Amino acid sequence: MSLSPDASALPGPPDVPTVRARLVEYLCEAAELEHSLCLQYLYAAFSLRANPPEDGLDDVQIETIREWKGQLLRLSREEMLHLGLVLNLLAAVGGAPYLQRPNFPQPERYYPLGVVSSLTPFSRATVDRFLAYEMPTVLLSEVNGAYGPDGRQMTVGMLYERIRELCLSVPEKELFIGPSHRQIDTAAVIDPDHVFDEDVLVGYGVEPFPVDSHASAMRAIDLIIEQGEGATEDAEDSHYGRLLRIRAQYDREERAAKASGRVFEPARPMLENPAVRAVPDAVGTGLITEPLTREAAELFNSGYGLMVLMLLRLYGRAGESRAELRTLQSVVFFPLMTMFVRPLGELLTELPAEAGDPARTAGPPFEFGRGIQLIPERSIAQRVFLERLRDLARRAQRVADLAGATAAPARIVRRLEFLAENVQRLAGQYAVDTGEPGTPHSPASPLPEGAPRGA
């Protein structure tokens, strides 16, 4: 998606249809960027060898690496917040929820030319790439080749400044036409029954707020810029400032290890841009071929895809009751994210990528399929979600059984079995909450009378 000339430069009264169309286009591009960066931070965090501690690291190094992992996970959560705010902005101005993105690796348009978005394990080069992503606009002149296709220098901060100008160019009553019920805020996610005070809700890392005015739109854009993209050079708690500290600490640890005759390796030797199959829009993937790891990676892709599918429904919902909305939130925000995506993603960093080569490990592929699209009908969406949760539970058990039948370490087998149990409980609870204990042709319900057997 390429940028066209800035609509804020148009003379006279705003051409509202043109501004809205361009604004939706820019917001979709911003959603792609936030989604992509969130996953890259996750991948680097999962690669770190701090939990459990591994050979070659002393206690001080382990604590330092754990701090880096915590910082990267925090950055990822904040990118999720940015993505949620962008989706709220899209809904507010009349756009549809957008969670599409290319597969990795992918060339970027808002960073110095030559920078590619990739799933890579933690390293100094990876941190340098993250610093390029989060570079304040004021530093852009120091980078060679930081120009977009139209000859202009580009940063993510500049994209959000264009979004700001477009928002302010249209009167509120004409701009904010989207339904408020398609926006998500902290209370709706964490506390749908309004039990807690607002202060209790802070700190979950998934804290979007509604956008319905110029003031709230500017608040959302300012938060995104100040936290990371386009932050000022001296903002110590910005993404850029935190990454600078990680790089300085990495250099210190590497110098100390070299001085003592050791090699400092904080990350596992993982694949870059792991994949279970080659796709035409991503060149340079690392294929996973070890049978158990490949099955686990396929399982991960299915769970990640289901999470995105449910997020699309959450942001594109229409007609859900309060109880149905609570059920959807209770699955997608925490169980799938924290009880499936993170533990299985971390486990994949310990499994061999290729048969007969235990040195190189895999990682979570985050592969994206064409079928991840909004399901507009509520009842059909619920049925599809239940089918996929049950299929996820069945496949998780199959992976655990396969691990138990191979030479996989006992702790890997236990973790896979625990994952399978959690997904089974999640599927069962979703069936109860939606009032659909069984679906046709599933093990939980009999086939209709007269239906052909074995279909």
Side-chain angles (χ1 to χ4, degrees):
M1 188 185 301
S2 60
L3 292 176
S4 43
D6 193 348
S8 65
L10 296 175
D15 177 354
V16 175
T18 299
V19 171
R20 191 185 312 282
R22 196 162 295 158
L23 182 56
V24 167
E25 180 180 343
Y26 288 178
L27 286 168
C28 287
E29 189 127 19
E32 278 190 20
L33 291 167
E34 303 296 357
H35 191 171
S36 169
L37 193 48
C38 170
L39 302 185
Q40 292 177 75
Y41 283 138
L42 276 181
Y43 195 85
F46 291 168
S47 74
L48 288 167
R49 301 193 304 142
N51 190 22
E54 297 175 28
D55 293 340
L57 299 173
D58 61 36
D59 291 342
V60 174
Q61 290 172 332
I62 289 169
E63 287 307 310
T64 300
I65 293 170
R66 283 177 175 165
E67 171 63 21
W68 294 346
K69 182 170 185 174
Q71 286 293 336
L72 290 171
L73 290 174
R74 180 184 170 193
L75 292 176
S76 179
R77 288 194 298 270
E78 288 174 356
E79 297 301 340
M80 288 171 58
L81 164 61
H82 299 173
L83 176 57
L85 290 172
V86 169
L87 294 176
N88 278 357
L89 277 161
L90 264 172
V93 302
Y98 184 84
L99 287 172
Q100 291 295 315
R101 61 165 182 81
N103 280 301
F104 293 103
Q106 49 187 275
E108 286 296 357
R109 295 169 291 277
Y110 293 96
Y111 313 118
L113 294 184
V115 173
V116 174
S117 288
S118 300
L119 298 177
T120 58
F122 181 94
S123 67
R124 195 183 196 280
T126 295
V127 176
D128 284 343
R129 194 177 80 246
F130 291 162
L131 281 165
Y133 295 161
E134 306 285 12
M135 180 186 301
T137 301
V138 296
L139 297 180
L140 192 60
S141 61
E142 301 177 12
V143 179
N144 294 324
Y147 292 87
D150 58 0
R152 288 192 260 176
Q153 291 181 308
M154 302 296 295
T155 66
V156 178
M158 292 172 71
L159 171 63
Y160 280 107
E161 290 298 343
R162 292 187 180 189
I163 291 171
R164 182 202 302 277
E165 292 168 359
L166 287 169
C167 285
L168 293 175
S169 72
V170 176
E172 284 185 351
K173 289 184 179 179
E174 295 184 67
L175 179 63
F176 299 106
I177 62 172
S180 60
H181 72 263
R182 281 208 290 109
Q183 296 192 46
I184 299 297
D185 63 16
T186 300
V189 174
I190 308 296
D191 183 28
D193 295 317
H194 308 289
V195 174
F196 300 109
D197 294 332
E198 184 175 349
D199 291 344
V200 178
L201 304 177
V202 176
Y204 282 85
V206 185
E207 299 157 11
F209 50 81
V211 175
D212 55 10
S213 64
H214 282 150
S216 54
M218 296 308 101
R219 178 189 168 202
I221 293 167
D222 286 343
L223 187 152
I224 293 171
I225 292 176
E226 290 168 8
Q227 273 194 341
E229 299 85 353
T232 58
E233 182 180 0
D234 58 353
E236 291 186 1
D237 198 44
S238 70
H239 293 190
Y240 188 76
R242 281 180 260 165
L243 288 164
L244 280 176
R245 287 195 295 276
I246 290 175
R247 186 173 68 177
Q249 291 167 352
Y250 178 91
D251 289 345
R252 182 195 67 207
E253 293 293 339
E254 190 170 51
R255 285 193 302 268
K258 187 175 182 180
S260 63
R262 297 180 299 160
V263 176
F264 179 53
E265 295 180 345
R268 299 184 181 96
M270 288 162 50
L271 288 177
E272 295 189 1
N273 304 301
V276 293
R277 62 181 59 84
V279 291
D281 68 335
V283 178
T285 56
L287 289 179
I288 299 170
T289 58
E290 200 283 330
L292 171 62
T293 310
R294 186 180 175 88
E295 287 274 356
E298 289 268 23
L299 176 67
F300 179 91
N301 285 339
S302 295
Y304 163 68
L306 176 59
M307 184 182 74
V308 174
L309 198 63
M310 297 181 87
L311 279 172
L312 281 168
R313 180 64 199 175
L314 190 63
Y315 279 94
R317 62 193 182 279
E320 270 86 351
S321 67
R322 185 165 178 165
E324 288 170 331
L325 182 59
R326 185 186 300 113
T327 294
L328 187 57
Q329 292 166 348
S330 69
V331 173
V332 71
F333 274 102
F334 298 109
L336 273 180
M337 288 183 182
T338 62
M339 295 168 59
F340 184 89
V341 170
R342 177 172 176 175
L344 186 53
E346 290 178 329
L347 192 147
L348 279 163
T349 71
E350 300 181 52
L351 295 176
E354 299 178 2
D357 182 13
R360 177 74 65 182
T361 60
F366 292 107
E367 289 176 278
F368 212 74
R370 292 188 180 90
I372 303 178
Q373 302 285 348
L374 174 67
I375 302 173
E377 298 85 7
R378 183 183 76 252
S379 60
I380 294 175
Q382 286 182 349
R383 174 167 172 170
V384 169
F385 296 159
L386 181 56
E387 286 178 350
R388 297 209 178 175
L389 281 168
R390 285 174 167 161
D391 181 63
L392 208 63
R394 177 184 59 80
R395 292 170 61 184
Q397 187 60 58
R398 186 175 70 193
V399 171
D401 292 342
L402 179 61
T406 65
R411 61 183 181 80
I412 297 290
V413 176
R414 287 195 299 270
R415 288 163 65 187
L416 285 169
E417 289 174 344
F418 185 62
L419 182 80
E421 292 170 4
N422 281 338
V423 179
Q424 183 64 50
R425 283 195 292 267
L426 183 59
Q429 188 60 52
Y430 185 81
V432 171
D433 291 343
T434 56
E436 297 187 38
T439 54
H441 305 284
S442 74
S445 62
L447 289 168
E449 189 67 31
R453 301 291 157 174

